[in-house]
Amino acid sequence: MKKRHIQKLTLISLILALAFNLPLLLIFNSEAAIFGIPKILFYVFTLWAASAIVSLIIFQKYND
């Protein structure tokens, strides 16, 4: 794997570290629900799924 692809994965990790930071998580901590799921859980699992999909695409597309 080339250095620029490793940099992409590192950038994803840093973005996730910021996105899962407690002050940002507390913004979504409310009684409101999206599709019957509390907003905070929807936020966490959507970010998790998106990061897994993007990482998978990077690994499949750029794996040497």
Side-chain angles (χ1 to χ4, degrees):
M1 189 172 277
K2 295 181 181 177
K3 186 175 180 177
R4 64 184 166 146
H5 308 309
I6 294 172
Q7 289 174 347
K8 289 178 185 179
L9 294 173
T10 305
L11 182 64
I12 291 172
S13 300
L14 292 174
I15 290 171
L16 286 175
L18 292 174
F20 288 129
N21 198 359
L22 187 59
L24 190 59
L25 282 175
L26 291 177
I27 292 173
F28 295 98
N29 191 15
S30 67
E31 294 293 323
I34 301 172
F35 304 117
I37 302 169
K39 260 177 38 174
I40 192 165
L41 290 178
F42 187 80
Y43 172 74
V44 167
F45 287 117
T46 302
L47 278 177
W48 172 75
S51 68
I53 291 169
V54 170
S55 297
L56 179 68
I57 290 170
I58 290 172
F59 276 117
Q60 284 184 345
K61 189 173 183 181
Y62 300 114
N63 195 11
D64 293 334

